Amino acid sequence: SPKEADTHGIVYTPQPIVNFMVRSVEEILQKEFGRSLGDKGVHILDPFVGTGNFIVNIMDKIKATDLPYKYENELHCNEVMLLPYYIASMNIEHAYFERTGAYSAFPGICLVDTFELAEAEQSGFSFMNAENAERVKRQKESPIFVIIGNPPYNMGQVNENDNNRNRRYPVIDRRIAETYSKDSVATSKSALADPYVKAIRWASDRLGTEGIVAFVTNSGFLDGVATDGMRKHLARDFESAFILDLGGNVRKNPKLSGTTHNVFGIQVGVSINILVRNRKGHQGDCRVYYARTEEFWRKEQKYEHLERVAAKSGIT
């Protein structure tokens, strides 16, 4: 469904990126909070699950004895498109069967547009059958501690004549307007309409007083003129930020090729961003840790680098 994929900005995540992000989150959980992915009370959400790569990887890191409870109660994910929703369900359930030897339907996946969860009610939407509505209700009531995934990228679309424009989300759009946009000095703020910006705003609001947001996104917010207000709010919303800039911005450097140098094969730069909220553990300004891969590394070299360093602690 190329037109649907275009609207939703779908870019599936290479395994080395998933591995690095999950390992890094586990490291931070242990160091900052004395907890682990498998611990009770650590609710985990992938808001844009795709075919289930992040959830499956997380399940692999959880001890087999802890997995049944986690699987039934504290793993959550959303998908807005029907085909990847079914594929993710099958992948996650198969991974559970391989680990435990028993089949169990995965109760943590919702067929829902994550951005619509910020709205007051979803019961009137067409995707809301009774079982799905109950799953969404359960997720909304869960104290999410880790939000991890690959948000949508697309601000526009490939062909404007397709009448396939991205949807508007009143609550998130208002939150961006009263935070990121309000505190920006930029004249043009169109970059704030990008879905990955909405995803970061949504995740910042969804998290409680403690937790981690780990997203791989367009890296434009790191130095974009229109995202100055966004950077200010991220510094207020989180105590620590770990940024690994994977480069690959073909628009800034025409010597690069998206298919050769970009980890997703796209034109915009990409970064892995791990944002930590720990109100009890820190005081003062947000601490930002930034690293960047070599400008002209091919994407295969970047994948190898991620596997070599394993997690954020391996980056010097």
Side-chain angles (χ1 to χ4, degrees), residues 10 71 93 95 117 146 150 154 196 299:
I10 291 172
Y71 184 83
E93 290 165 3
L117 295 181
V146 172
N150 178 2
N154 193 14
Y196 86 91
K299 60 185 176 184

Side-chain angles (χ1 to χ4, degrees), residues 129-275:
N129 60 41
E131 181 182 359
N132 197 52
E134 184 57 36
R135 289 183 179 187
V136 169
K137 181 175 181 290
R138 187 183 76 139
Q139 183 191 120
K140 291 183 73 172
E141 293 172 349
S142 297
I144 303 299
F145 202 89
V146 172
I147 299 175
I148 187 170
N150 178 2
Y153 282 62
N154 193 14
M155 182 171 68
Q157 59 189 65
V158 174
N159 186 347
E160 293 293 338
N161 294 322
D162 283 340
N163 193 27
N164 197 30
R165 290 183 179 275
N166 293 354
R167 297 185 58 181
R168 295 187 180 277
Y169 302 92
V171 172
I172 295 180
D173 291 343
R174 186 182 71 246
R175 288 289 294 137
I176 289 173
E178 64 192 18
T179 57
Y180 299 168
S181 182
K182 181 180 178 181
D183 286 335
S184 173
V185 299
T187 303
S188 172
K189 302 176 184 179
S190 60
L192 295 176
D194 200 306
Y196 86 91
V197 175
K198 298 181 195 293
I200 293 174
R201 179 68 272 173
W202 177 87
S204 301
D205 291 340
R206 180 63 177 88
L207 214 59
T209 57
E210 292 183 326
I212 301 168
V213 175
F215 280 159
V216 54
T217 71
N218 182 329
S219 61
F221 78 99
L222 296 177
D223 59 2
V225 176
T227 50
D228 56 339
M230 180 180 177
R231 291 190 293 273
K232 291 176 187 176
H233 277 271
L234 290 177
R236 298 171 194 168
D237 291 342
F238 297 94
E239 277 61 57
S240 304
F242 301 89
I243 310 295
L244 178 56
D245 189 344
L246 298 172
N249 192 327
V250 179
R251 295 169 182 171
K252 283 187 176 181
N253 186 350
K255 293 181 180 180
L256 300 178
S257 164
T259 55
T260 301
H261 298 96
N262 190 290
V263 291
F264 288 135
I266 58 179
Q267 301 293 305
V268 298
V270 176
S271 62
I272 294 171
N273 320 293
I274 304 176
L275 311 171

Side-chain angles (χ1 to χ4, degrees), residues 57-76:
N57 195 295
I58 288 167
M59 289 169 58
D60 191 52
K61 302 291 189 296
I62 296 172
K63 289 188 294 186
T65 52
D66 296 332
L67 187 56
Y69 179 86
K70 203 76 180 179
Y71 184 83
E72 288 293 326
N73 299 283
E74 296 183 351
L75 291 179
H76 311 271

